[in-house]
Amino acid sequence: MSRLAGLETPRLILDRSRLEANIARMAAAVGALGVALRPHLKTAKSAAVGELATAGRTRGITVSTLQEAEYFADHGFTDITYAVGIAPGKLDRAAALIGRGVDLKVIADTVDAARAVADHGAAFKLLIEVDCGDRRGGVAPDGDTLLAMAEALATSKTARLDGVLTHAGHSYGVADPDEIRRIAEEERVAVVKAADRLRAAGHEIRTVSAGSTPTALFSRDATGLTEYRAGVFVFFDLDQQSRGICQREELALSVLATVIGHNREAGKVLIDAGGLALSKDRGANAFRPEVGYGEVCDAAGSPIPGVFVTSVSQEHGHVVLPDPALFDRLPVGSLVRVLPNHACMTAAAYPEYTVLEDGAPDAVWSRCNGW
């Protein structure tokens, strides 16, 4: 009988030994570059994971929502970067965290946002977001907006410019290690250039922040940076595995599901983990098109060769079987574990982790959701 028998499904499973090994790998990589690691806990959204990710190092963390910031502050994390552009309507809520003693850094990429921060009256620390090629957000490192934003902060009696921040999200779109290294250098050069321009204009710059999981792991030079931010490394996922960032054996997160039906005419079994339980992210398909919505493993976590979640309904996962003999291996009521495409998106459906130690349930860790 499976050691997971009796657990209700779908359920989010976290392998603690893999989690700890992944954290150690990232800490060693960033430590070798001589900068701090500020883990992005938008992936885990868990204080227990945060404790492990910061153990023995600075407790500085990154979050993506104010809900996360409040949750982690409640659990004793007081050095927090809120790494999503601040909207004026959220300044009061963010200021309440500062009032609680949280060292909160916010980011922006417009002069209007910088002025709103400057005029609010709270002791905000602002990081100017720099575009290093991802084209999601941020100002050009050699553009006029960078200096104009800094000037907007210069006369504030309460807020101050703390530094610059960038994110090489385009590193997720390549699978060649040399190309990832090129993007990592592109990321570094852009944000350091922005910091140097601001310093030359007379502004004090304390923080020069860069990072994504691929660039943090593959970078060869962090000169000029003060920290790397990375998040999905704590769990990894098929998206990262498909690009060669990690191996399948490093994937710490899976979804426990139950086989709920056989459709022999269609050549597939159904599981009780569908689009909501797995997410509809298909990121790994760019490099591993066979993956579909997740790779199916047995209850112990060993992959079943050639078996993937091929399509999803809201509460159904459709698993086309390459061999009819697999119907006998996967009877109705049997348990499987699905390795997710994108750990952050999959985990967002769940309020907690069932943590495995040596393959058996050992603990339940909370996580926060929402905004």
Side-chain angles (χ1 to χ4, degrees):
M1 179 179 291
S2 167
R3 302 174 80 180
L4 305 183
L7 295 178
E8 292 187 359
T9 59
R11 179 176 295 265
L12 195 60
I13 300 294
L14 177 57
D15 186 308
R16 178 167 180 153
S17 63
R18 292 185 178 187
L19 167 70
E20 292 177 339
N22 294 341
I23 290 170
R25 177 187 172 192
M26 179 61 77
V30 173
L33 292 169
V35 297
L37 172 62
R38 180 181 290 272
H40 202 321
L41 295 178
K42 69 168 186 173
T43 297
K45 300 191 184 209
S46 166
V49 176
E51 292 288 351
L52 292 173
T54 59
R57 296 176 295 279
T58 172
R59 283 173 60 86
I61 63 171
T62 313
V63 300
S64 60
T65 70
L66 289 175
Q67 178 91 339
E68 291 169 37
E70 292 159 352
Y71 165 86
F72 282 107
D74 290 343
H75 288 82
F77 293 84
T78 58
D79 179 1
I80 300 175
T81 295
Y82 172 36
V84 172
I86 190 70
K90 296 181 179 180
L91 287 171
D92 286 347
R93 187 176 174 188
L97 284 161
I98 296 173
R100 293 173 54 183
V102 174
D103 179 4
L104 182 70
K105 275 75 66 177
V106 299
I107 76 169
D109 64 358
T110 68
V111 174
D112 287 345
R115 286 176 179 151
V117 170
D119 295 342
H120 181 273
F124 283 108
K125 295 179 181 179
L126 181 71
L127 301 174
I128 298 176
E129 185 176 9
V130 174
D131 182 8
C132 65
D134 184 36
R135 298 294 185 263
R136 181 178 71 180
V139 303
D142 54 358
D144 295 336
T145 303
L146 177 77
L147 298 180
M149 289 182 67
E151 289 302 320
L153 268 293
T155 58
S156 176
K157 296 180 180 179
T158 51
R160 67 172 171 83
L161 176 64
D162 192 75
V164 287
L165 171 150
T166 195
H167 170 63
H170 50 312
S171 65
Y172 287 83
V174 299
D176 178 7
D178 288 337
E179 183 66 5
I180 296 172
R181 293 185 185 99
R182 185 194 66 77
I183 292 173
E185 180 63 5
E186 182 178 79
E187 177 185 50
R188 184 191 72 83
V189 167
V191 75
V192 170
K193 180 176 183 178
D196 288 345
R197 286 188 68 213
L198 290 166
R199 290 183 179 120
H203 302 285
E204 183 178 0
I205 299 300
R206 299 170 179 82
T207 300
V208 184
S209 180
S212 67
T213 288
T215 57
L217 287 173
F218 282 77
S219 174
R220 289 174 171 168
D221 183 5
T223 302
L225 302 180
T226 62
E227 65 181 30
Y228 262 118
R229 305 177 327 281
V232 76
F233 74 91
V234 293
F235 300 152
F236 288 123
D237 52 29
L238 290 174
D239 187 46
Q240 297 291 309
Q241 185 268 338
S242 73
R243 288 157 171 76
I245 308 301
C246 65
Q247 302 300 312
R248 182 192 285 109
E249 294 72 26
E250 294 175 284
L251 272 57
L253 201 70
S254 61
V255 172
L256 183 70
T258 301
V259 176
I260 58 172
H262 284 185
N263 186 333
R264 291 182 179 269
E265 290 76 14
K268 67 184 177 183
V269 299
L270 299 174
I271 61 174
D272 64 351
L276 292 182
L278 300 174
S279 93
K280 287 193 172 183
D281 192 300
R282 291 167 60 97
N285 288 222
F287 296 100
R288 291 190 65 198
E290 76 279 7
V291 162
Y293 292 90
E295 185 166 4
V296 179
C297 304
D298 62 22
S302 297
I304 304 174
V307 180
F308 304 92
V309 180
T310 47
S311 62
V312 291
S313 307
Q314 180 169 317
E315 301 295 351
H316 296 75
H318 303 244
V319 181
V320 174
L321 300 181
D323 182 350
L326 288 168
F327 281 104
D328 294 331
R329 183 175 175 181
L330 298 171
V332 171
S334 61
L335 296 176
V336 296
R337 283 163 65 183
V338 181
L339 302 177
N341 272 290
H342 185 173
C344 312
M345 299 289 278
T346 296
Y350 299 87
E352 62 190 22
Y353 302 93
T354 295
V355 183
L356 303 187
E357 189 75 51
D358 295 324
D362 180 69
V364 174
W365 290 350
S366 70
R367 52 172 282 127
C368 71
N369 288 319
W371 292 268

